[in-house]
Amino acid sequence: MVSLAGTGSAFFGSWMGGGVRRSRRPSTPAAPRRAISRGLIRAVALALALAATLTFALPASAQGTGEDECALGTHDCDANATCTDTPESYVCTCNVGFAGEGTSGTCVNIDECALGTHDCDVNATCTDIPGWFTCACNVGFAGDGLTCTDVDECNLGLDNCDVNATCTNNLGSFDCTCNVGFAGDGLTCTDVDECNLGLDNCGENAVCVNTLGDFSCSCIVGFTGDGLTCTDVDECALGLDNCGENAVCVNTLGDFSCSCIVGFEGDGLTCTDVDECALGLDNCGENALCVNTLGDFSCSCIVGFEGDGLTCTDVDECALGLDNCDTNASCTNTLGDFSCACNVGYTGDGLSCSPVGPPSVPGLGRFALMVLAAGLSGLGAWRLRRGFV
């Protein structure tokens, strides 16, 4: 029987000085966290090595033969163990990362990942392999697995956010949020039609126009402002109307109206004169004459009447001496006129009167004419006595 009390020491020494993973460790002093991890690893290894200190019987052929079984390959060490020749025989020690007696079939892989004896970064994934383990930084982190730092996908352009979204980096990942004016999951963002959805703040008298990711407000015709606040434009006061020359402009909310002034007719854009006289729309007096003017009319009393044209009274030409009757004629006033009649003993049209001479009577002698003259003279005296002219 051979005591393998030294096996544990050899195993422990092999574990403590094992260089299988040294290529993964930096040459600079490890950070405090890593130093603690390695301490844990070595403590676990020591426990496993002590547990592996067993006494077992070597094959009879291997006892005291003096041969170098390790060199000759006649040992029965496990494939994952190291054979060490001794004067009496040989010793089998499981390699670093394995635990067991060392003989064939007894070295079992140590799962550092499951035992938590690895020194991978907290943001790395530990993967167990025969005799050791590997560390790989998780998605969203970069490094050698022992040290992992966050990858800023937003800054490096590694995100898949929509062109109309904002990328926000976080530890090991990133978030996509649609920009204002867009809706979606951040990976796909579509424009929000604020106008159609009533999400705009345009003024009451403004029109909303949707744009990509936004909207614009503009005052409708007849109003002015920034689209958020719109005030009425007084087209009449500012001379922005198109009313006709003979029309009046009336401002309304957001618009204006045109109406022809009195004496004109039309649509307000074009106004034509109204002939009040021809249409009987005047208020001239009965004995007055209506004269149409541009946009109006005038009334004037006709000859023989006087007044303002609205009221006309008869002119007494005879009393006012405005007649042209002959001095030997009588003037008689009529409505709007007068008449002239020659006095008795005169003849004519009243405008011109001449005395009436004795009539010529054929066959009468001179005596007869004298008698006739006396008779006429007597008649005249009689008319005077009676008050006749």
Side-chain angles (χ1 to χ4, degrees), residues 5-30:
T7 304
S9 299
F11 182 87
F12 178 69
S14 174
W15 185 276
M16 294 291 288
V20 176
R21 296 296 290 176
R22 283 182 182 175
S23 61
R24 297 182 67 249
R25 305 190 189 279
S27 59
T28 58

Side-chain angles (χ1 to χ4, degrees), residues 165-184:
T166 299
C167 178
T168 303
N169 185 63
N170 51 48
L171 190 63
S173 185
F174 60 91
D175 292 325
C176 300
T177 306
C178 293
N179 297 332
V180 175
F182 294 87

